[in-house]
Amino acid sequence: MSQPAIIVRNLDHYFGQGQLQKQVLYDINLEINSGEITIMTGPSGSGKTTLLTLVGGLRSAQSGSLQVLGQELYGANAQQLTHARRHHGYIFQAHNLHSSLTALQNVRMGLELHPDISTVEMQTRSAEMLKEVGLGDRANYYPDDLSGGQKQRVAIARALVSHPKIVLADEPTAALDSKSGRDVVNLMQTLAQEQGCTILLVTHDNRILDIADRLVDMEDGRLTSNTTTTMSVT
């Protein structure tokens, strides 16, 4: 059996220094298998996004062990974290598109960390990815000319164009209406299954829990439940 994509052991995390130091994660232990869709829920301020950014190599792990795709991120330096991030795709609530770039150019940014890919191939793969998310005819549109759901589709295309092994999504449906939100997570699910990547998704949106293979709940910086789903959640 292959090693889990993400292994977290005895992970604590703190913000601030000295008397202002505040603990935000407490003894996190979690395993996520390759190809699994894991949804993390919990109140605002419970530590979900902090854990997501640690897994994504956007912050350094301060204690315990955090292995992502076999690489230990506890004690990793900036260069090692940058290297780890090359295997990840990121989708955020505020799609984070560059308003001065077209949809195609925004998607291409997902390939900028990959110096082995030629400019021509970048263009081709970006255009194909936009077609896969249903926006082939919007390649030359700027974000201001796209709807909220279309912007999030561009963000998904940007996250998946490099065929990442892990996709990290932070509230990807929060700014969308019910139908657009459902379309977005269905698209993530389909494309991730086609590419065989692992998804870790943070959400408050109970309407999308049914796509999860695993549900993880957090409260006050602690995991309160960790459940493998065997049927749709209602």
Side-chain angles (χ1 to χ4, degrees):
M1 188 174 175
S2 62
Q3 184 183 22
I6 300 166
I7 304 173
V8 187
R9 292 277 182 269
N10 310 121
L11 181 71
D12 298 326
H13 197 74
Y14 303 83
F15 288 146
Q17 300 289 330
Q19 290 184 325
L20 296 177
Q21 189 178 72
K22 180 184 177 186
Q23 188 165 358
V24 292
L25 294 178
Y26 298 82
D27 195 29
I28 304 295
N29 289 276
L30 178 66
E31 286 189 8
I32 297 174
N33 294 320
S34 295
E36 216 171 40
I37 298 177
T38 299
I39 291 185
M40 193 157 41
T41 62
S44 294
S46 59
K48 306 184 302 297
T49 296
T50 300
L51 181 55
L52 192 78
T53 56
L54 286 166
V55 170
L58 299 173
R59 286 191 174 102
S60 297
Q62 298 168 340
S63 70
S65 174
L66 174 57
Q67 292 182 33
V68 179
L69 301 174
Q71 181 179 350
E72 177 60 62
L73 297 187
Y74 169 65
N77 60 33
Q79 184 179 2
Q80 290 167 327
L81 290 175
T82 299
H83 184 265
R85 290 196 293 269
R86 289 182 182 172
H87 302 293
H88 304 159
Y90 300 92
I91 304 168
F92 301 100
Q93 173 182 344
H95 42 78
N96 288 2
L97 301 182
H98 289 263
S99 60
S100 61
L101 301 180
T102 64
L104 183 70
Q105 290 168 332
N106 269 286
V107 173
R108 241 190 76 166
M109 290 194 69
L111 295 170
E112 297 292 340
L113 279 176
H114 300 267
D116 53 318
I117 301 175
S118 69
T119 303
V120 172
E121 188 180 351
M122 282 185 181
Q123 286 290 105
T124 303
R125 282 174 61 168
S126 300
E128 287 174 353
M129 199 70 225
L130 276 175
K131 286 179 187 172
E132 287 201 50
V133 301
L135 292 176
D137 60 341
R138 297 286 194 275
N140 295 317
Y141 282 52
Y142 289 90
D144 287 349
D145 299 320
L146 300 173
S147 69
Q150 288 171 333
K151 289 175 187 174
Q152 201 59 299
R153 284 168 178 258
V154 174
I156 290 171
R158 179 181 60 192
L160 292 172
V161 70
S162 65
H163 290 229
K165 294 174 182 172
I166 292 178
V167 170
L168 302 162
D170 193 1
E171 300 280 6
T173 65
L176 304 178
D177 61 48
S178 178
K179 183 182 184 307
S180 297
R182 168 54 62 179
D183 289 346
V184 159
V185 294
N186 286 347
L187 185 62
M188 284 175 61
Q189 183 182 32
T190 300
L191 293 174
Q193 286 171 345
E194 288 173 0
Q195 295 188 7
C197 70
T198 305
I199 294 180
L200 178 58
L201 188 156
V202 165
T203 191
H204 284 105
D205 189 349
N206 291 333
R207 300 168 300 185
I208 66 172
L209 300 185
D210 57 300
I211 72 161
D213 300 306
R214 180 185 302 275
L215 293 172
V216 176
D217 294 314
M218 287 194 75
E219 194 164 343
D220 296 329
R222 294 176 170 86
L223 290 186
T224 54
S225 73
N226 178 5
T227 311
T228 303
T229 61
T230 53
M231 61 187 74
S232 292
V233 177
T234 57

